[in-house]
Amino acid sequence: AAKVILPTLDARDDAFAAVVEATMPALLAGLVLAAALAAVMSTSSGALIATATVFSQDIVARLRGRDPEGGTEHDHVRSNRLYVAGFGVVMIVIACALQDVVAALTIAYDILVGGLLVAILGGLIWRRGTNVGALVSMAAGTIATLVTMVVVGDIYANEPVYVGLAVGLVGYVIGSLVSRPTAP
């Protein structure tokens, strides 16, 4: 739609704002852009908080052998704030490094599919699947996806996802078979 309305538009990242500006009166355009910014900020905030919480409660606490529910509420809040700040810095660095929104989304979705899909589906389908298998699958699939992106030299290629899925599947099966089965 943006290409039809603004055929001379060069930067595809500017398409939304340019179309809003070209098709709406100033007051309405300001409200639409403010609403879009609010949606982006809300989504980013939610993703950042969810990432920090899952990382601190489900990964770090379990790797340290602690009960994720243990500790005081004050400790949980303090810990989550530190993880939010840390992941926030990482997100800012990534945003500065990737100036293209479409490229950033492509990388994120490639990691999501190549790194997490096998572990999620495996946990739903295969009764013998374990937490170890899922962690190995996620780590191996994510690394394989990112390495293949670098080797292929094209983040828009499909091969990184296929390689990530294949490596993740092998990691899930091997990790699950060498670890103790999960209790029914």
Side-chain angles (χ1 to χ4, degrees):
K3 196 71 169 165
V4 172
I5 294 170
L6 302 166
T8 60
L9 183 66
D10 292 330
R12 61 183 174 201
D13 288 342
D14 299 336
F16 180 76
V19 169
V20 168
E21 186 180 349
T23 59
M24 297 180 183
L27 182 62
L28 184 59
L31 287 173
V32 169
L33 291 174
L37 182 60
V40 167
M41 290 172 61
S42 172
T43 302
S44 297
S45 171
L48 183 59
I49 292 169
T51 301
T53 302
V54 167
F55 188 76
S56 68
Q57 299 295 313
D58 295 338
I59 297 175
V60 173
R62 293 186 195 284
L63 289 175
R64 289 183 175 170
R66 287 190 273 155
D67 178 17
E69 301 300 321
T72 66
E73 184 177 345
H74 176 61
D75 292 337
H76 286 293
V77 171
R78 183 177 178 276
S79 172
N80 280 351
R81 284 180 179 165
L82 292 173
Y83 282 112
V84 166
F87 280 112
V89 169
V90 170
M91 291 173 89
I92 289 169
V93 168
I94 291 170
C96 290
L98 297 173
Q99 298 283 324
D100 185 4
V101 174
V102 176
L105 286 172
T106 301
I107 293 170
Y109 283 116
D110 283 0
I111 291 170
L112 182 69
V113 174
L116 301 179
L117 184 65
V118 170
I120 292 168
L121 291 179
L124 294 172
I125 295 171
W126 194 33
R127 289 188 181 269
R128 180 60 177 87
T130 64
N131 292 342
V132 171
L135 283 174
V136 169
S137 172
M138 288 186 287
T142 298
I143 291 169
T145 299
L146 293 173
V147 167
T148 307
M149 277 184 193
V150 172
V151 170
V152 171
D154 180 14
I155 63 168
Y156 301 109
N158 291 327
E159 289 84 4
V161 175
Y162 301 146
V163 171
L165 288 171
V167 170
L169 179 61
V170 170
Y172 186 74
V173 170
I174 291 172
S176 293
L177 291 177
V178 300
S179 61
R180 200 174 73 231
T182 306

